[in-house]
Amino acid sequence: DTPQDGTVLQSIGSESVFRIAGFCGEQELGHGSSFILNHEITSDGIKLWCLTNLHVARGVLNLHQFFRMALSNGAPEQFIKEIPAGLRVHVGGTAIPIDSFIVPKGEFFKPEHEQHLDFAIFSFTVPLDRQTRYFPINKNSPISAGSKAYALGYPLSMNLSIADGLISRVYEDGDGDAERKAGAGIKFWKWGIQHNIAINGGNSGGPTISESGFVIGISTFGLVEGDLLNFSINASSIFEFISDKSNLEEIAIQPLVKKLALRAAESARYG
């Protein structure tokens, strides 16, 4: 495959990599990145299917703590039941609410350290005249240690940025025992790509791109104890998993927000 210039990748990323942010009223609560997976033409426009990390989607659960704090500071129950809240994807200058996520079955409500499958899919619709360039997904080609790669995303909720580095290791099924003992959790096994590309909070959910311009993974996390010990989830493993739709479930956001508000109100009422 022909190597792509970083400026070309940045240009494609400006049209296909989006910031996600939680919100409650006018206040933002956490943020991450996402990118186009596929698209389809509908009567309403272009429906964009996007991929991000599950832990980015789970940011909506932080609203429970926000609601409790608002109540403890004197806000009435009706306020937390009516205030607009949820997750939005930022496309150009427009913030579009995310209605639901398609996630690995049984994973959404697990504690983060118990999650095996840190990815989520969502969709939204844009006008038919919108440019829809995006990166193709690497589904079958092998990824080699020592090859160059890039990460695109919104570090610390800043503007879109691109960083490069080398693939350090591609984990196979059953690998990662030493890393788990070092406190890295359970996110390695056959899903892991280790690299030294600089990623920060806010990069989570953005694409990891091969030098030839294919998505090879989702930028997911780094080990604070090390220096540029960063990891992505292997895109080919995700596609293998989602090919069986029985592995997936849909989580609707607004009904969940209402439940979080009611739960916070009950906690404040009864302690």
Side-chain angles (χ1 to χ4, degrees), residues 26-257:
E26 296 301 316
Q27 184 173 347
E28 281 200 353
L29 306 170
H31 54 271
S33 301
S34 63
F35 60 95
I36 298 176
L37 188 63
N38 206 343
H39 80 283
E40 59 182 292
I41 306 298
T42 72
S43 58
D44 296 323
I46 304 173
K47 189 173 188 178
L48 300 179
W49 292 94
C50 296
L51 194 60
T52 188
N53 280 131
L54 178 60
H55 74 258
V56 172
R58 275 172 47 90
V60 70
L61 298 178
N62 295 331
L63 286 170
H64 179 256
Q65 187 61 29
F66 180 89
F67 291 149
R68 291 195 63 176
M69 290 177 60
L71 290 169
S72 67
N73 290 330
E77 283 189 22
Q78 201 61 26
F79 169 79
I80 67 167
K81 292 177 182 177
E82 294 179 355
I83 187 170
L87 287 165
R88 293 188 287 218
V89 57
H90 293 257
V91 183
T94 305
I96 302 172
I98 298 173
D99 294 327
S100 64
F101 286 96
I102 297 171
V103 301
K105 190 175 292 183
E107 293 284 313
F108 192 86
F109 296 102
K110 281 185 179 179
E112 191 169 316
H113 68 278
E114 293 182 10
Q115 290 169 15
H116 289 261
L117 308 171
D118 196 352
F119 69 88
I121 300 166
F122 66 96
S123 66
F124 60 94
T125 300
V126 295
L128 283 169
D129 59 356
R130 187 192 184 278
Q131 186 73 33
T132 54
R133 283 193 306 167
Y134 53 92
F135 301 107
I137 309 294
N138 177 65
K139 297 181 182 178
N140 300 307
S141 300
I143 306 164
S144 302
S147 58
K148 189 173 183 178
Y150 298 85
L152 290 97
Y154 294 84
L156 306 180
S157 202
M158 298 168 65
N159 291 333
L160 178 70
S161 69
I162 184 171
D164 65 357
L166 297 177
I167 301 298
S168 306
R169 181 178 178 184
V170 180
Y171 286 80
E172 303 295 337
D173 198 4
D175 285 353
D177 287 342
E179 289 80 0
R180 279 188 284 271
K181 290 176 183 176
I186 55 176
K187 296 183 180 179
F188 288 84
W189 56 306
K190 69 176 180 179
W191 301 80
I193 301 172
Q194 180 187 337
H195 55 77
N196 65 359
I197 307 169
I199 59 174
N200 297 277
N203 276 110
S204 290
T208 308
I209 307 290
S210 70
E211 192 174 19
S212 54
F214 285 80
V215 175
I216 58 174
I218 310 176
S219 302
T220 301
F221 73 107
L223 296 182
V224 295
E225 298 86 353
D227 183 19
L228 294 179
L229 284 173
N230 298 322
F231 299 85
S232 297
I233 301 175
N234 196 320
S236 62
S237 294
I238 292 173
F239 270 87
E240 179 185 337
F241 184 85
I242 67 176
S243 63
D244 182 352
K245 299 299 187 290
S246 67
N247 288 329
L248 305 171
E249 65 178 337
E250 186 171 11
I251 303 293
I253 296 302
Q254 284 310 306
L256 176 58
V257 170

